[in-house]
Amino acid sequence: MKTLRLLFALACAVTTASMGWAQTLVANQALAFGSFSAGASAGTVTISAAGARGSGGGVFLISSGSGAAASFTVTGTPGATYSITLPDNGVVSMALAGNPGTTMAVNNFVSNPVATSGSTGLLTGGTQILTVGATLSVGSNQASGSYSGSFNVTVNIP
């Protein structure tokens, strides 16, 4: 079995249509899949929007690297609603440090509040915490090492 330690960098974008109140999206915590061992068969590591970590297939979690959901603070006009856009499947991957040709796909992004069409978040008091999780696809006998990547989260505050 191979031990993989994964740290997933954050990238974010904010779009706004209003004037007069500063609209911000601040990254608090990177999405991290933690440490795990890749077996002879492919599998997955999943981080929920609440930060719960699970595995499937030939992947075995290592407790010393627990992982975490990404966390953002959305700030804007008190009482305003906003929409969230997460990456589509097939767009995001993580690359092995020193060997960018060795990658793993990241798909099935989820958030709390849930990203659906229309307004999904409510800036009660002018702020809200947005958390994001995803599923990492691990290949059979995936090369060990540190992997990293980035993804975009777009918040649109009308």
Side-chain angles (χ1 to χ4, degrees):
M1 288 194 197
K2 299 175 182 184
T3 301
L4 300 136
R5 182 191 321 253
L6 302 176
L7 188 56
F8 205 55
L10 294 175
C12 59
V14 178
T15 58
T16 62
S18 63
M19 304 294 271
W21 182 273
Q23 316 290 345
T24 61
L25 178 63
V26 176
N28 304 319
Q29 168 69 48
L31 174 61
F33 292 97
S35 297
F36 57 87
S37 292
S41 61
T44 59
V45 177
T46 301
I47 301 290
S48 73
R53 186 168 75 135
S55 66
V59 173
F60 303 94
L61 300 179
I62 297 173
S63 61
S64 63
S66 60
S71 173
F72 303 89
T73 299
V74 183
T75 305
T77 306
T81 58
Y82 63 94
S83 63
I84 304 161
T85 304
L86 300 172
D88 291 329
N89 287 339
V91 173
V92 178
S93 65
M94 298 178 68
L96 177 61
N99 187 356
T102 301
T103 63
M104 289 184 278
V106 182
N107 292 302
N108 303 317
F109 283 85
V110 294
S111 67
N112 183 20
V114 177
T116 59
S117 62
S119 296
T120 59
L122 175 62
L123 298 176
T124 305
T127 63
Q128 185 173 48
I129 298 297
L130 165 65
T131 58
V132 177
T135 299
L136 177 69
S137 296
V138 181
S140 60
N141 297 310
Q142 184 78 39
S144 62
S146 294
Y147 288 72
S148 64
S150 64
F151 66 96
N152 291 321
V153 172
T154 303
V155 169
N156 185 8
I157 304 171

